[in-house]
């Protein structure tokens, strides 16, 4: 799975790209450069559970926005009214306008 992709529990394997809006099954974001790799011997992609991670996003995002999964496969979106258990973290960067992009997100599964 490509780095920056929002993933959820489920699918054919343990995790899959998330394509559910505000999913309660969100697992994290695929990391580009994990500081600590738990279960290093295991196969698969490193999932960021905490820390600064580039993340695929859709729609406008302002610094400090709460981030949740979106229906756009593998992407997060801003939602400052998100329910606990669905929050991926907070945006460190902004993105203007509609469409997709990649920004840094402070992943802190809440």
């Amino acid at each position: 799975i490509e780095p920056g992709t929002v993933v959820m529990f489920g699918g054919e394997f343990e995790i899959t790209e998330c394509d559910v809006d505000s999913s309660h099954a969100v697992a994290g974001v695929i990391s580009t450069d994990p500081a600590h790799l738990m279960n290093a011997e295991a196969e698969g992609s490193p999932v960021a559970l905490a820390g600064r991670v580039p993340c695929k996003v859709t729609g406008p995002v302002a610094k400090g926005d709460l981030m949740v999964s979106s229906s756009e496969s593998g992407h997060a979106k801003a939602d400052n009214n998100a329910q606990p258990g669905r929050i991926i973290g907070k945006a460190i960067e902004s993105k203007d306008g509609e469409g997709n992009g990649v920004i840094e997100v402070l992943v802190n599964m809440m």
Side-chain angles (χ1 to χ4, degrees):
I1 301 175
E2 185 177 304
T5 302
V6 176
V7 293
M8 62 187 263
F9 296 107
E12 184 179 337
F13 301 101
E14 189 171 294
I15 59 170
T16 189
E17 286 191 29
C18 189
D19 61 357
V20 178
D21 197 49
S22 297
S23 175
H24 69 277
V26 69
V29 179
I30 300 298
S31 181
T32 55
D33 188 22
H36 178 71
L37 190 57
M38 297 186 300
N39 301 319
E41 297 80 29
E43 291 185 31
S45 302
V47 178
L49 305 175
R52 293 175 73 121
V53 180
C55 181
K56 297 177 184 180
V57 296
T58 190
V61 179
K63 286 182 184 180
D65 279 350
L66 294 177
M67 304 302 296
V68 299
S69 62
S70 78
S71 57
E72 176 82 26
S73 186
H75 289 68
K77 69 173 188 172
D79 181 355
N80 290 315
N81 295 309
Q83 297 176 354
R86 300 169 191 270
I87 300 169
I88 298 167
K90 289 190 176 192
I92 297 174
E93 296 180 302
S94 297
K95 185 185 95 45
D96 292 331
E98 298 300 321
N100 299 335
V102 177
I103 64 167
E104 287 244 321
V105 170
L106 178 60
V107 173
N108 184 18
M109 301 298 293
M110 297 181 249

